[in-house]
Amino acid sequence: MTKIAILGFGIVGTGVAEVLTENAKKIALSAAEAIALKYILDIRDLSDSPFADKCVTDFSVIEQDPEVRVVVETIGGAGVAYDFTKRALLAGKSVVTSNKELVAMHGYELLAIAKAQNVNYLFEASVGGGIPIIRPISQCLAANEISEICGILNGTTNYMLTEMAAKGVPFAEALKDAQALGYAEADPTADIEGDDACRKICILGSLSFGRHIYPDEVPTEGITKVTPEDICYAKGINRKIKLLGRAIRTEDGKVAAYVAPHLVNTDSLLANVEGVHNGITVRGNAIGDVMFYGPGAGKLPTASAVVADVIDCVKHLKARKYIAWEQGGPAFSADPKTLVSQWYVRTSTDAFITESMSAIDLAPKLEEWNAECAFRLLD
Ligand code: HSE
């Protein structure tokens, strides 16, 4: 039997405990041994929880217990979660997480520590909620040179845009609904301003192109400028507005990554990814285009991915799974402003589509037109 601990008993942490309990038999079969939850770390009083007997508030209890071989980090953020993750890895424990902020900011360093300690640092749940995407990119598509990843990576904003387009629900109400359904981040600013999608494209880009892409290298625009009029205009030209994260290999071997709303063709696969679902397309030189689709947020879909990683860790307690990338930095990042596309432009009096041009060439025209927003078209 392998003992594990959960750090942070919020929506995802609770879901992990529930899945481990409810599916215990199936999980034991898959892992070839039983997996027992020994500790739950949280600073709140959890005496009313059915898991109250496992609760601790001092991380060193977990850190110093040699029985604990796998630690699940569902605290979120890059503060205390960073400290605990490093300490758990250095104590020789594998770590599994859904924490995209931490992986996007410190993935290179944490993967290097895991490698040195011969343990695993796995984060399938950090991108796409319950959709398998990290393992497919790092294993199933490993024979490909990947040239582009493009996806709807945030369930909250996709839910909001879908509700706004289908039912005319106002922005604030759509956000309130997404929060009530447990899709949004603790501070939903990260969803609506695009930071959550930015962290996820950093992880996918790092994994696909082999160098760490840092969030501050990725220009990010959320959905706060999208109005019902923009949605209506898009509909009139057979398009839908979707918040996309893109990472593209440029000719000089660098990577251009960005997050922004796009007007996508209604015939495209991404246009039909609705509600809380995420859709991620990957272009490889052997496979061509492949798309991953499914629930991108929510307690149980995310817990499903976390527990799958726990099973993988238990099956590989003495072997490291190969996930790693090199250090990145400005020398490897290209400016997405050079990417050419048509644009939807809205001014105070008009809305129209431009000819194809880069964001650099568009910028002076936007000033001249006194434009309120400009979103790329994508076919
Ligand atoms: N707030 C995130 C989303 C949760 O809406 O996609 C899953 O990462």
Side-chain angles (χ1 to χ4, degrees), residues 9 23 37 50 77 90 110 112 122 149 158 166 181 188 231 251 270 303 318 325-326 345 355 369-370:
F9 211 48
N23 296 354
L37 177 58
L90 290 168
L110 295 171
L122 301 183
I149 304 155
N158 203 50
L181 289 163
I231 292 172
E251 276 173 15
L270 285 175
K318 294 199 178 103
W325 51 71
E326 302 289 313
V345 174
E355 61 191 45
W369 296 327
N370 209 6

Side-chain angles (χ1 to χ4, degrees), residues 100 126 129 153-157 183-185 191 196 200 278 296-297 302:
K100 50 259 164 158
S126 65
L153 301 170
N154 182 266
T156 300
T157 46
Y183 303 151
E185 296 301 295
D191 295 296
D196 180 74
K200 291 166 176 168
N278 284 188
T302 310

Side-chain angles (χ1 to χ4, degrees), residues 44 58 65 88 152 239 244 260 280 292 351:
R44 292 165 303 170
D58 179 2
D65 186 338
I152 293 169
R239 289 181 179 267
L244 301 182
I280 303 158
F292 300 86

Side-chain angles (χ1 to χ4, degrees), residues 89-90 93-95 107-122 318-326:
L89 293 170
L90 290 168
K93 302 173 194 308
S94 289
V95 177
Y108 167 72
E109 180 195 2
L110 295 171
L111 285 165
I113 297 174
K115 182 179 178 185
Q117 295 296 116
N118 201 29
V119 293
N120 289 302
Y121 182 50
L122 301 183
K318 294 199 178 103
R320 230 187 106 243
K321 300 272 296 176
Y322 191 77
I323 296 186
W325 51 71
E326 302 289 313

Side-chain angles (χ1 to χ4, degrees), residues 5 19 88 149 195 200 216 236 259 281:
V19 171
I149 304 155
D195 299 312
K200 291 166 176 168
D216 61 5
V259 173
T281 56

